[in-house]
């Protein structure tokens, strides 16, 4: 009986993972990539001066807005080889199938007020 219960738990795990928020907060995902493109097109960042190994993306919000459709907000930080940091907030729609369910809004953070320092 224990083996049947264990098997059922293993079978149910993938479905439980789908029930949560889409995992689109990696540095190689849609929001981070599009943030870089927007910054590059604006002339604020360049491939040869960016230390991509220090890029950080943190999901700060995710809200279900439809059937398998979520609005996600990410804090993305790019570090230049000079040490200068460019931080943006991105907003985009994602699903469990695609992190790119639409365009990405990119807001450049020019100054942080209050709170903790990184």
């Amino acid at each position: 009986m224990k083996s049947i219960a264990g098997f059922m738990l293993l079978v149910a795990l993938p479905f439980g993972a789908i029930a949560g928020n889409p995992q689109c907060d990696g540095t190689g995902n849609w929001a981070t990539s599009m943030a870089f493109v927007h910054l590059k097109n604006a002339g604020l960042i360049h491939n040869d001066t960016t230390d991509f190994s220090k890029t950080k993306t943190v999901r700060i919000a995710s809200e279900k807005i439809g059937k398998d459709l979520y609005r996600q907000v990410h804090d993305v930080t790019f570090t230049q080889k000079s040490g200068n940091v460019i931080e943006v907030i991105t907003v985009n729609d994602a699903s469990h199938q695609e992190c790119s369910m639409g365009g990405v809004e990119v807001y450049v953070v020019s100054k942080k007020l209050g709170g903790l320092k990184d």
Side-chain angles (χ1 to χ4, degrees), residues 39-107:
L39 289 169
K40 187 174 175 180
N41 289 345
L44 299 174
I45 201 167
H46 304 282
N47 289 31
D48 56 340
T49 59
T50 303
D51 183 352
F52 291 102
S53 69
K54 294 183 180 176
T55 300
K56 292 189 317 183
T57 302
V58 178
R59 184 178 65 222
I60 55 178
S62 183
E63 177 182 12
K64 189 170 186 173
I65 58 171
K67 184 179 179 184
D68 193 29
L69 188 62
Y70 296 79
R71 175 122 334 119
Q72 295 194 332
V73 180
H74 294 92
D75 183 308
V76 183
T77 305
F78 296 99
T79 303
Q80 302 298 287
K81 292 177 181 173
S82 66
N84 185 39
V85 173
I86 299 173
E87 182 177 9
V88 299
I89 300 295
T90 64
V91 179
N92 69 289
D93 294 344
S95 74
H96 287 96
Q97 299 300 316
E98 286 287 332
C99 291
S100 57
M101 295 300 289
V104 177
E105 297 174 37
V106 179
Y107 302 92

